[in-house]
Amino acid sequence: MSFPELVFLENLIGDIKDKARIEEVARIPYMQERFPIYTLAFGSKDPRAPTLALVGGVHGQEKIGSQVVLTFLETMTRLLDWDDSIHQLLEHMRIVFLPIANPVGMFLLRRGNGNRVDLMRNGPFDGPSPTTFFLGGQRVSKYLPWYRGVKGAPMELESQVLCDFIQREVFPAKVSIALDVHSGFGAIDRLWFPYSHTIQPYPQLAEAYALKTLLDETYPNHVYRMEPTAQGYTISGDLWDYLYLEHQKKELGFFFPMTLEMGSWLWLKKNPAQIFSSLGLFHPMHLHRHKRILRRHLTLFDFLQRATVSSKVWTQLNPEDRAENQKRALDYWYYET
Ligand SMILES: [Zn+2]
């Protein structure tokens, strides 16, 4: 048994062959089946090389997130056939993919995995602040959404695979950005950065603001609202907060994890009938709209490649610029709203 995104990825892997380092990192058992999880790494083998990581399909019913990542993977595969500039870029950086992080959830069109655990609530830590009621993660019942799994149990295999992938491919890099693509919350496309477990500003707020400024100045008409995740809601067990905190402990390079949360309420407004379908809230149904969404984020991926390889301007701020960015960031994200 399979599903369209997995078939697409496996066909693409057939075409990629020697262009990337491809691994089947796990097989997730479900009923009589075992669903593979693949990772792909393009470019520099120097562990310290700047790295961009793209992740999709963490929440199974948000198929569009996986499709957006797969679309970029396909474009990159084709560019490698003829575009010298991408080869030059990849001499200096690495681009790594985990396009279908929760294959059983995608097969079942379910948010959680085969055990009904919400992988983005499954990290082994609780926030210091009370998290948003229920939506912030719950251990009451696996039959209710946002289930965190049994307290004290090991992480789900899919969560462990995601963490291992980031720790292996991304942590050694001197600079890295991770983008995890989701859909479902709100009416606009948001770029969320840590923290999600607390409303307290995270330590690299100045650099986040510098990156936001770079995005605003380079693409003045971009569609994104960039903000700390906790401005949407606070949650416990977010894997990106967990990974960020682990990275901080190890005093490694600069790691900037982000979530692209595509605002599906907008699609709903244009097509109210969607609410009656199982995928409605998370997935645009009309083909023309679908194509537009798959195209819509390619500019962002291009920007993130550049911001990863040419990171000095936003990650190495001098003390005055850092203080100024910090002040502006606090005004923008914390005092004016
Ligand atoms: Zn999601």
Side-chain angles (χ1 to χ4, degrees), residues 16-22 40-43 73 76 80 95:
I16 292 170
K17 284 189 207 109
D18 51 348
K19 297 188 182 100
R21 301 178 292 285
I22 301 162
L40 302 93
F42 293 82
L73 178 61
M76 221 181 83
L80 282 165
I95 305 181

Side-chain angles (χ1 to χ4, degrees), residues 70-332:
L70 287 168
T71 300
F72 178 65
L73 178 61
E74 182 185 34
T75 297
M76 221 181 83
T77 306
R78 303 303 171 220
L79 283 174
L80 282 165
D81 285 335
W82 61 270
D83 177 21
D84 293 338
S85 70
I86 189 125
H87 286 277
Q88 284 158 13
L89 182 76
L90 288 172
E91 281 174 24
H92 304 287
M93 72 176 295
R94 181 164 52 247
I95 305 181
V96 297
F97 293 84
L98 173 56
I100 301 176
N102 175 12
V104 175
M106 276 183 74
F107 172 70
L108 297 171
L109 304 178
R110 177 196 286 173
R111 180 182 174 91
N113 67 356
N115 300 327
R116 298 182 179 270
V117 174
D118 184 334
L119 304 179
M120 273 304 143
R121 308 288 185 279
N122 188 223
F125 74 104
D126 297 323
S129 320
T131 50
T132 307
F133 180 65
F134 233 73
L135 188 144
Q138 55 85 17
R139 297 194 199 272
V140 177
S141 167
K142 68 177 183 179
Y143 296 105
L144 297 169
W146 309 298
Y147 178 58
R148 297 194 58 199
V150 176
K151 195 172 177 68
M155 267 194 276
E156 294 296 302
L157 186 51
E158 297 89 339
S159 307
Q160 193 62 56
V161 163
L162 171 60
C163 292
D164 290 349
F165 168 68
I166 295 296
Q167 285 171 335
R168 187 184 72 225
E169 295 286 346
V170 176
F171 274 22
K174 58 187 175 196
V175 176
S176 57
I177 296 177
L179 185 74
D180 179 15
V181 186
H182 289 246
S183 67
F185 178 83
I188 56 167
D189 293 336
R190 289 178 159 82
L191 284 171
W192 275 336
F193 60 87
Y195 288 130
S196 65
H197 70 280
T198 169
I199 54 169
Q200 295 302 317
Y202 99 120
Q204 284 157 328
L205 194 70
E207 286 78 7
Y209 192 78
L211 185 67
K212 177 203 169 320
T213 306
L214 204 60
L215 177 62
D216 292 347
E217 289 177 357
T218 312
Y219 297 100
N221 303 311
H222 75 78
V223 296
Y224 305 100
R225 179 183 294 172
M226 193 170 150
E227 62 188 13
T229 315
Q231 299 217 331
Y233 43 75
T234 50
I235 63 181
S236 282
D238 178 294
L239 292 178
W240 295 110
D241 271 18
Y242 169 69
L243 285 164
Y244 177 78
L245 293 168
E246 288 295 300
H247 186 270
Q248 285 287 98
K249 276 187 219 162
K250 295 187 166 79
E251 296 183 9
L252 297 161
F254 187 95
F255 171 49
F256 189 66
M258 261 195 296
T259 297
L260 166 58
E261 186 73 38
M262 293 182 277
S264 65
W265 298 354
L266 198 66
W267 312 329
L268 197 68
K269 202 160 65 185
K270 288 178 183 160
N271 181 10
Q274 274 194 7
I275 204 161
F276 299 110
S277 79
S278 64
L279 284 174
L281 276 167
F282 310 98
H283 199 80
M285 291 307 197
H286 284 175
L287 193 61
H288 70 279
R289 194 167 300 144
H290 200 130
K291 276 190 175 176
R292 202 161 60 214
I293 290 154
L294 295 182
R295 271 201 311 267
R296 183 179 170 97
H297 303 288
L298 292 175
T299 313
L300 174 69
F301 294 160
D302 188 62
F303 171 76
L304 294 178
Q305 285 175 62
R306 291 168 199 271
T308 305
V309 78
S310 308
S311 60
K312 213 169 144 187
V313 65
W314 66 282
T315 61
Q316 294 180 33
L317 304 171
N318 65 44
E320 297 98 84
D321 285 349
R322 192 166 200 278
E324 182 62 25
N325 272 280
Q326 181 77 13
K327 183 180 164 307
R328 289 186 183 192
L330 288 171
D331 284 347
Y332 182 76

